Amino acid sequence: MNFQQLRSVREAARCGFNLTEVAAMLYTSQPGVSRQIRELEEELGVEIFARAGKRLTGLTPPGETLLPIVERLLLEAENLRRAGHDFHASHEGRLSVAATHSQARYALPQVVRDFRALFPQVTLHLHQGSPRQVAEMLLNGEADIGVATEALAGYDGLVTLPCYRWSHSIVVPPGHPLLEGDGLVTLQQLAQFPIITYEQGYTGRAHIDEAFAREGLSPDVVLTAMDADVIKTYVELGMGVGIVASIAVDPDRDLHLRALDARHLFEVNLTRLAIRRGSWLRGYTYQFIESFVPTLTREAVEQAMAGAGSETV
């Protein structure tokens, strides 16, 4: 049994049993991948994959049981490598952070800047994606840390930690009718105008939909986007009223917009940080986390990884 055999099995499952893709992932040939899988099956005395001719079609019942073990073995091998690097070169290496656009654009910049000042020899990789993509990058080992508001808490393979709570704001052009009065906009008033906001599954969109549904209202959502800057651009063009994360509103930059507080309309959102369960974190990774959320000390993170943490903020 060797690691190349284990990697071939893991990647075959991840790539939908397409051995051509597996070979590309592992920088080898398709026959080489097939041989590695067959040799492991012969050593274990069971077939891991179901086949139609030479083509893999899925996991056998033994394969369903063995795959999590294979993944754990490869994770521990990676943990061993990282632990060795941590003792050998504690201030060198790489850190991969996956985040949604809102987090990467508005919540993380100062943290990234401060981290680079402290650890100039650590290469930092920042990946953007949907909350689901952030979770998948963590589970696949592409990212060390994930930050998002939606989805992360729904994966058993991830340890999630609370970061901060935030609310939504309404953005409109100067002179808009919603600016009249005391500033406390109602959902009924808001529903009278075209709405521009986030796509489903992004940045608290579920709480927006739930609030309108509770009042029996069907807002006219004319445009959706992943990016608050895109939403604000189309609001400036007069296409509708924007609903964005409050952290995305900057009076110094958004000179052609006016913001209204919406915390009384929509449920408060919780942004979470996630780590793959069972992974080894380099020392500087704990430093990055604590810079982002001062209450998430190394001790607090280790307790959560061991199952002793509680999600409070």
Side-chain angles (χ1 to χ4, degrees), residues 15-286:
C15 294
F17 314 106
N18 185 323
L19 295 187
T20 301
E21 290 186 21
V22 176
M25 288 286 295
L26 298 179
Y27 302 100
T28 186
S29 65
Q30 183 175 333
V33 172
S34 297
R35 185 180 68 255
Q36 295 286 353
I37 292 173
R38 275 295 188 192
E39 287 176 355
L40 181 60
E41 289 179 322
E42 289 171 4
E43 183 175 348
L44 296 176
V46 296
E47 289 195 344
I48 298 172
F49 295 102
R51 292 172 171 81
K54 294 184 178 181
R55 184 169 58 89
L56 303 187
T57 58
L59 289 166
T60 62
E64 295 279 0
T65 299
L66 293 174
L67 181 61
I69 299 173
V70 168
E71 290 179 337
R72 285 200 300 273
L73 287 170
L74 290 171
L75 176 59
E76 289 300 335
E78 176 63 16
N79 286 343
L80 183 62
R81 186 184 66 82
R82 291 186 177 191
H85 284 180
D86 220 20
F87 287 107
H88 174 67
S90 61
H91 288 71
E92 299 176 8
R94 57 174 285 156
L95 177 62
S96 180
V97 179
T100 57
H101 171 83
S102 293
Q103 304 303 325
R105 169 67 177 81
Y106 300 106
L108 289 173
Q110 290 186 351
V111 180
V112 170
R113 181 199 61 194
D114 294 345
F115 179 83
R116 285 288 301 147
L118 286 171
F119 299 96
Q121 292 179 290
V122 174
T123 304
L124 188 60
H125 298 267
L126 186 59
H127 307 277
Q128 292 185 55
S130 69
R132 190 171 300 278
Q133 288 170 329
V134 170
E136 289 172 354
M137 282 187 272
L138 287 167
L139 292 170
N140 291 337
E142 298 174 47
D144 305 303
I145 299 171
V147 182
T149 297
E150 315 275 355
L152 295 184
Y155 291 83
D156 292 337
L158 301 179
V159 175
T160 60
L161 299 155
C163 294
Y164 64 94
R165 297 185 186 276
W166 56 270
S167 59
H168 286 100
S169 290
I170 300 164
V171 289
V172 295
H176 193 278
L178 287 178
L179 296 171
E180 300 171 3
D182 60 5
L184 286 177
V185 176
T186 66
L187 286 172
Q188 288 75 15
Q189 291 173 314
L190 194 55
Q192 294 175 19
F193 300 93
I195 301 294
I196 304 173
T197 191
Y198 297 104
E199 290 185 8
Q200 296 282 353
Y202 282 81
T203 322
R205 172 64 190 273
H207 289 165
I208 295 172
D209 293 342
E210 290 164 3
F212 282 112
R214 281 195 297 269
E215 296 297 318
L217 299 170
S218 299
D220 181 18
V221 179
V222 296
L223 180 66
T224 62
M226 297 182 292
D227 184 338
D229 291 337
V230 172
I231 294 170
K232 290 186 290 184
T233 295
Y234 287 96
V235 172
E236 288 183 9
L237 292 175
M239 288 185 58
V241 172
I243 304 174
V244 299
S246 55
I247 60 171
V249 179
D250 184 347
D252 294 332
R253 293 188 177 185
D254 301 325
L255 299 177
H256 303 294
L257 293 174
R258 300 294 179 266
L260 293 164
D261 192 357
R263 74 183 68 188
H264 62 293
L265 299 179
F266 309 116
E267 187 178 340
V268 171
N269 303 276
L270 176 63
T271 290
R272 294 178 172 88
L273 180 145
I275 306 156
R276 184 180 179 183
R277 193 177 299 279
S279 60
W280 170 277
L281 302 184
R282 300 284 304 270
Y284 53 69
T285 306
Y286 290 104

